[in-house]
Amino acid sequence: MNVSKNLMEYLETEVLSKECLDKINALNNEHISRIVSEFIELCKPLKVKVITDSAKDIEYVRNKCIEIGEESKLKMDGHTIHYDGFFTMSNHDQARDKQNTRVLVPKGEYASPWINTIDREEGLKEVLEIMDGCMEGHECLVRFFCLGPKNSKFSILSLQLTDSFYVAHSEDILYRAGYEEFKKLKGSDDFFYFIHSSGELTGDPPITKNLKKRRIYVDLKENRVLSVNNQYAGNSLGLKKLALRLAIHKAHNEDWLTEHYFILCVHPKGKERVSYFSGAYPSGCGKTSTAMLPGQTIIGDDIAYLRKWTDGYAHVVNIEQGVFGIIKDVNPKDDPIIWDTITTPKELIFSNVLIKDGTPCWIGDGRQIPKNGFNFSRDWIKGKTDENGVEIPHAHPNARYTVRIEELNNADENLHNPDGVPLHGILYGGRDSDTQVPILESLNWEHGVFWGAIIESETTAQTLGKEGVRKSSPMANLDFIVVPLGKYLKNHQKFGNSLKYCPKVFSTNYFLKGKDGNYLNGMLDKLCWVIWAEGRTHGDYSAIKTPIGFIPVHDDLKMIFKEYLDKDYSEKEYVEQFSLRTIHLIEKLNRIEEIYKTESNVPDFFWNILYDLRDKLRNLKIKHGKEEISPLDFL
Ligand code: SPV
Ligand code: MN
């Protein structure tokens, strides 16, 4: 792109005020001035406003959201509602657009078959053409944030240009302010940047009109993402899933990790210690409910950076300070903490729920569904269908709430600690009705990486398409891994092995069913699995060694269930839940083998574990003359 103007010249056109130019110049960073002028030239906003960390600037964003209709006030103080684009149940902007999110790959560079790519030159040409004039008539905001705690070795600064006040407002809630941090860069270009535009808008409230021209192009070479014609946060907010992709690339070319992890602090009863756990689960597999376990505290629910620390542990930080959470099924019974948080006055954005008399309503909120109201399809009445005859629910299944973690009464005291917290354990889980035991501890670090790499989640009656189809997502991170999978796994292996105190890795499954097709575990049983895992990281419990990993002994679980849930956990339940279902496990390994065969350079440790485990399972079956091996058979 040719830069025909420098920032100074925009002063004369009234695009940029003297005050805003001064704010940029105060950063003393030619890269920022260049990026801002390049994209003013291309996107042609009516006006550019530079937002610092000042309360006045941030209030401007909040107020303007309401003024231009990207958000509307609700009855409760501080609550607002935002709607993303919707035309039909199959043509909308209510979720991440996987098809049009592509990594720009320079000619001759290898990318995994798992990554959605486009030739860099071709992709840039396409997206820059779409972005030409995309901000016409709009005000463009220039924002500065810090991914991670301030003054921290972990953190990465991020520059965001957007013409969406909703995007900028969400980022205020979800990320730490970074204008002052940018001054410390001393002119360096060591930051990520994100250009976003909702593009041409239509209707009231205003939504993106040209969804067909929605593009989210990840440019690893320039540490930037260009995103246009969308509003949904997973597509539009640079700092969320767009930065996750850039950070994975950066981490894997350095010596640290970026993961799709929550960070939970476990407080075992009667012990003087606490332990930090991270975990990755595909969407709909219990990630938030694990991060929000009753009696425990939370640092983060979505994205974490991990570094080898001087004390020999891996330390971990939440790069966010807020939650962009799925609201479906949040009710006082199942999620009391979130329920209390989102039903009391505070700064909070709801998206894509139904509003009835100024009050938000959503799927699974435990209340009666109103007969009418206003939702993402505008005026809604029960039974309303889209133009294809598909029924429109009162709230979208992917409707969300956006709130600061500090507003939760289980926020952990180390949320903003610049040194992060030491990681004691990692939990992986999927949705699996017939294969994996509820919890196991991996035999060693590589074995844990292996379990993380073979996470699968089954489609449910609530998702589109056939029920029970298994989707594989290594570390629940597949959509965001922008380096070859083999390299990703090798770096995981290396990272853990470089630590003096390597976290223990656990594989969980909350969705195991019995022969009668019913779930074998209650919603809260996961608390007991996590308490057991925490104890294992401190040598509290013994365990049974099996080829799939260490599994709990009944007596320990019996005690934990009694103490934490006041439940009698019988040996019969234990045997049913912790039997090794050899046939299903072997079938899983066969599926995984087929999938991983499509990738070159998968590290040897992965294949060795897979082949060895499969052999052992086959031998167990022969030795015991049965398909299901009870944990008691190993004693
Ligand atoms: C996820 O899908 O993993 C989310 C929501 O956390 S989104 O911001 O859309 O990625
Ligand atoms: Mn996520």
Side-chain angles (χ1 to χ4, degrees):
M1 203 188 327
N2 291 325
V3 185
S4 57
K5 290 189 178 182
N6 67 39
L7 268 186
M8 273 297 283
E9 291 172 62
Y10 285 102
L11 272 178
E12 286 155 33
T13 62
E14 292 182 0
V15 170
L16 192 71
S17 68
K18 169 89 171 55
E19 187 198 350
C20 285
L21 182 67
D22 288 346
K23 285 176 182 171
I24 289 189
N25 286 341
L27 298 174
N28 240 326
N29 191 314
E30 59 174 5
H31 304 286
I32 294 169
S33 308
R34 174 183 52 82
I35 292 163
V36 175
S37 59
E38 250 183 50
F39 284 92
I40 296 179
E41 181 78 13
L42 179 72
C43 303
K44 305 180 179 56
L46 189 67
K47 198 168 142 186
V48 172
K49 181 96 175 167
V50 178
I51 307 291
T52 67
D53 305 343
S54 78
K56 183 173 151 250
D57 280 8
I58 290 166
E59 200 186 338
Y60 173 81
V61 173
R62 235 181 350 244
N63 292 341
K64 207 65 200 257
C65 268
I66 307 293
E67 201 183 305
I68 65 169
E70 278 199 90
E71 289 174 34
S72 304
K73 286 191 181 179
L74 297 176
K75 203 149 83 186
M76 197 162 286
D77 246 9
H79 291 197
T80 57
I81 171 76
H82 162 81
Y83 291 106
D84 297 309
F86 177 86
F87 298 97
T88 67
M89 287 305 287
S90 50
N91 178 26
H92 58 72
D93 187 33
Q94 309 269 317
R96 274 189 281 115
D97 179 356
K98 296 188 194 183
Q99 210 184 333
N100 290 304
T101 303
R102 296 207 176 90
V103 179
L104 303 174
V105 181
K107 282 200 177 46
E109 262 184 36
Y110 172 78
S112 267
W114 306 54
I115 308 173
N116 191 7
T117 61
I118 184 166
D119 172 76
R120 183 167 185 273
E121 271 171 44
E122 188 191 322
L124 270 182
K125 185 170 175 292
E126 183 195 7
V127 71
L128 293 175
E129 259 171 45
I130 295 176
M131 291 183 98
D132 191 351
C134 64
M135 294 188 186
E136 264 167 25
H138 300 177
E139 183 169 344
C140 173
L141 298 170
V142 181
R143 309 263 357 223
F144 303 89
F145 294 102
C146 180
L147 286 166
K150 291 185 188 177
N151 297 313
S152 167
K153 184 176 189 304
F154 288 87
S155 300
I156 297 174
L157 298 182
S158 288
L159 166 67
Q160 169 90 64
L161 268 64
T162 179
D163 62 358
S164 165
F165 282 82
Y166 159 71
V167 165
H169 181 206
S170 300
E171 288 180 335
D172 270 325
I173 297 176
L174 293 174
Y175 303 98
R176 292 142 176 128
Y179 178 78
E180 294 304 322
E181 296 288 302
F182 261 85
K183 288 184 181 165
K184 299 178 195 158
L185 267 184
K186 300 206 178 343
S188 140
D189 66 350
D190 189 13
F191 58 87
F192 293 160
Y193 74 92
F194 306 96
I195 314 295
H196 166 259
S197 170
S198 310
E200 197 180 333
L201 298 169
T202 179
D204 178 22
I207 55 165
T208 295
K209 191 172 163 191
N210 299 317
L211 291 184
K212 282 209 178 75
K213 290 196 170 170
R214 178 171 47 201
R215 297 290 181 276
I216 301 121
Y217 281 4
V218 182
D219 188 2
L220 302 173
K221 198 160 171 259
E222 295 282 334
N223 270 325
R224 66 178 176 180
V225 182
L226 309 176
S227 171
V228 62
N229 288 315
N230 61 70
Q231 292 165 301
Y232 172 71
N235 298 321
S236 60
L237 265 65
L239 285 91
K240 202 164 189 52
K241 292 308 191 327
L242 315 190
L244 171 58
R245 294 173 174 98
L246 297 182
I248 286 177
H249 180 253
K250 189 170 164 63
H252 281 270
N253 286 298
E254 297 173 5
D255 59 352
W256 51 285
L257 297 178
T258 302
E259 291 301 312
H260 196 195
Y261 280 168
F262 64 69
I263 309 170
L264 161 78
C265 181
V266 187
H267 302 247
K269 283 186 185 174
K271 307 263 161 68
E272 295 273 300
R273 61 171 194 246
V274 297
S275 308
Y276 288 95
F277 272 67
S278 273
Y281 294 72
S283 165
C285 294
K287 187 179 183 187
T288 309
S289 51
T290 309
M292 294 272 180
L293 283 171
Q296 322 307 316
T297 51
I298 182 175
I299 288 193
D301 84 323
D302 203 25
I303 305 169
Y305 291 170
L306 287 77
R307 278 184 180 271
K308 177 180 170 178
W309 213 248
T310 44
D311 59 4
Y313 283 90
H315 274 224
V316 60
V317 297
N318 180 9
I319 58 121
E320 307 186 287
Q321 61 161 10
V323 175
F324 175 61
I326 295 193
I327 202 164
K328 180 171 171 278
D329 294 331
V330 173
N331 58 58
K333 190 173 137 276
D334 297 328
D335 280 303
I337 301 170
I338 302 176
W339 174 267
D340 287 348
T341 307
I342 68 178
T343 54
T344 43
K346 61 181 56 70
E347 186 174 1
L348 196 159
I349 310 171
F350 291 93
S351 53
N352 306 323
V353 295
L354 180 95
I355 303 300
K356 174 73 179 171
D357 301 328
T359 301
C361 313
W362 55 89
I363 300 173
D365 62 11
R367 297 173 294 200
Q368 209 167 11
I369 301 172
K371 290 197 176 57
N372 59 9
F374 193 91
N375 76 359
F376 53 93
S377 73
R378 320 251 146 171
D379 287 322
W380 177 88
I381 49 165
K382 203 172 163 54
K384 181 176 178 183
T385 55
D386 70 9
E387 62 189 39
N388 303 319
V390 180
E391 183 160 354
I392 301 171
H394 68 296
H396 198 277
N398 194 33
R400 302 261 169 174
Y401 61 89
T402 303
V403 71
R404 287 187 181 84
I405 291 176
E406 275 165 353
E407 302 277 12
L408 301 168
N409 67 17
N410 60 343
D412 189 76
E413 60 186 14
N414 279 309
L415 171 62
H416 297 297
N417 190 332
D419 293 340
V421 292
L423 194 57
H424 295 98
I426 298 171
L427 302 159
Y428 288 116
R431 179 179 281 267
D432 160 16
S433 59
D434 58 15
T435 307
Q436 186 65 293
V437 296
I439 183 141
L440 64 79
E441 177 192 322
S442 61
L443 296 173
N444 52 48
W445 172 251
E446 272 94 353
H447 193 241
V449 175
F450 176 79
W451 280 121
I454 66 169
I455 291 177
E456 290 177 300
S457 72
E458 284 170 29
T459 50
T460 64
Q462 281 86 43
T463 47
L464 291 175
K466 206 166 151 251
E467 205 176 325
V469 177
R470 290 165 217 256
K471 287 189 186 151
S472 164
S473 179
M475 280 70 177
N477 212 0
L478 184 63
D479 290 348
F480 315 108
I481 295 177
V482 292
V483 294
L485 197 57
K487 176 173 177 164
Y488 176 81
L489 294 179
K490 251 182 235 153
N491 282 340
H492 260 268
Q493 178 192 24
K494 226 166 62 191
F495 182 79
N497 288 336
S498 74
L499 300 167
K500 185 164 172 209
Y501 304 111
C502 187
K504 282 185 186 283
V505 186
F506 300 85
S507 165
T508 67
N509 177 21
Y510 306 147
F511 302 95
L512 193 63
K513 289 182 177 173
K515 304 244 165 0
D516 58 3
N518 290 325
Y519 288 117
L520 293 178
N521 293 106
M523 285 273 282
L524 268 182
D525 289 3
K526 55 174 83 75
L527 174 61
C528 299
W529 314 142
V530 171
I531 292 296
W532 180 78
E534 195 276 341
R536 284 292 295 168
T537 65
H538 292 273
D540 282 359
Y541 306 115
S542 56
I544 303 168
K545 190 173 181 190
T546 78
I548 60 171
F550 295 106
I551 59 177
V553 295
H554 176 239
D555 279 351
D556 291 329
L557 290 181
K558 196 171 147 190
M559 195 183 70
I560 296 171
F561 268 83
K562 194 72 200 161
E563 191 174 0
Y564 285 82
L565 300 180
D566 195 24
K567 249 168 93 167
D568 295 314
Y569 184 69
S570 70
E571 189 175 85
K572 184 166 171 287
E573 285 171 278
Y574 166 74
V575 168
E576 187 172 15
Q577 293 169 16
F578 283 91
S579 286
L580 270 57
R581 302 182 181 200
T582 56
I583 299 266
H584 289 291
L585 284 160
I586 291 167
E587 280 170 2
K588 177 178 170 85
L589 296 177
N590 292 345
R591 277 195 304 276
I592 295 293
E593 181 184 20
E594 285 310 304
I595 296 170
Y596 269 82
K597 267 193 335 209
T598 62
E599 172 74 31
S600 37
N601 300 320
V602 171
D604 289 346
F605 82 85
F606 179 93
W607 292 121
N608 293 341
I609 292 173
L610 191 147
Y611 297 140
D612 181 60
L613 179 53
R614 194 162 55 190
D615 280 350
K616 285 191 169 131
L617 290 165
R618 282 177 182 150
N619 290 340
L620 267 183
K621 202 165 121 285
I622 294 166
K623 182 179 155 198
H624 292 275
K626 56 184 179 184
E627 290 171 6
E628 284 195 17
I629 319 296
S630 159
L632 306 179
D633 288 334
F634 292 96
L635 294 175

